Amino acid sequence: MRLFFFILTLLAILNIDHLGRLIYPFPYRETVMEYAAGRGLDPYLVAAVIKTESNFNPRATSRRGARGLMQVMPETGTWAAEKMGLPCYHPDLLYDPEFNIRIGTWYLADLYRTFNRDTILVLAAYNGGQGNVQKWLEQQRWTGEKSKLDQIPFAETREFVRKVLWNYQVYRYLYGR
């Protein structure tokens, strides 16, 4: 009888993982792994950003004009491409999954350097803008702490950070083993 319940439990766990991978797919995994490793990033965090930003749709375009998997703004893409020494940049390249991940992971890594490897600040800056986050901290409108996300002045940024953190846990659980 104990063996029966053990097997049922094991099957339930396996089905949950299977269902989880259907709801939380990880396309472009090799590209994410490659660029995340090259930039010292956690690939599951990158996957969580992509899931949150575009749900892995390489043709996604936001109301504000952000493009591709990681929803990179064309201006940010221009700046990043220049810093990376990429001579043939064009904003339409942001719809190419490999190029978008290349630029997006470079930008995430740059934010990690700027914000002393603090993931919460990095995620807030990725969505709300680096200058805004620095201003919120300087003006003491937000402490920068995970437990104080409600202090973030932009509702969209608050929700973005929460969603990415949730998706990050899911991706680590489903794919990190």
Side-chain angles (χ1 to χ4, degrees):
M1 193 60 132
R2 287 168 120 179
L3 181 60
F4 176 75
F5 284 112
F6 173 75
I7 291 171
L8 280 179
T9 303
L10 186 60
L11 287 174
I13 290 170
L14 292 175
N15 285 335
I16 287 171
D17 283 0
H18 178 71
L19 181 61
R21 287 173 184 246
L22 290 174
I23 297 169
Y24 289 87
F26 197 171
Y28 313 107
R29 187 181 335 185
E30 293 80 20
T31 304
V32 168
M33 293 293 188
E34 175 188 343
Y35 284 105
R39 311 236 193 276
L41 299 171
D42 185 327
Y44 307 112
L45 182 69
V46 174
V49 168
I50 295 171
K51 173 74 172 170
T52 304
E53 288 284 25
S54 69
N55 201 27
F56 289 93
N57 176 2
R59 300 297 302 170
T61 304
S62 76
R63 290 176 280 118
R64 293 189 181 132
R67 298 177 177 193
L69 294 172
M70 296 186 74
Q71 291 292 278
V72 177
M73 292 295 290
E75 300 79 20
T76 302
T78 300
W79 173 77
E82 184 179 298
K83 293 286 186 182
M84 295 169 69
L86 303 176
C88 298
Y89 173 78
H90 187 277
D92 289 344
L93 287 170
L94 294 172
Y95 291 118
D96 175 75
E98 190 270 340
F99 188 83
N100 188 279
I101 293 167
R102 183 178 183 187
I103 291 280
T105 55
W106 183 91
Y107 183 51
L108 268 179
D110 185 66
L111 290 172
Y112 266 103
R113 284 186 292 277
T114 300
F115 290 101
N116 201 28
R117 305 224 37 94
D118 185 314
T119 298
I120 304 303
L121 295 177
V122 167
L123 293 175
Y126 191 86
N127 178 268
Q130 179 177 332
N132 286 325
V133 171
Q134 288 170 331
K135 183 173 66 175
W136 300 336
L137 296 171
E138 288 168 9
Q139 295 175 351
Q140 298 179 347
R141 294 177 71 190
W142 177 38
T143 64
E145 297 172 38
K146 181 180 177 182
S147 64
K148 305 284 186 183
L149 292 179
D150 288 336
Q151 293 177 342
I152 296 175
F154 295 172
E156 179 185 328
T157 300
R158 281 193 303 270
E159 291 311 306
F160 173 81
V161 173
R162 286 184 178 121
K163 286 178 186 175
V164 171
L165 292 173
W166 170 262
N167 289 337
Y168 176 48
Q169 294 304 315
V170 172
Y171 276 94
R172 280 184 36 190
Y173 172 79
L174 292 173
Y175 298 96
R177 293 181 268 153

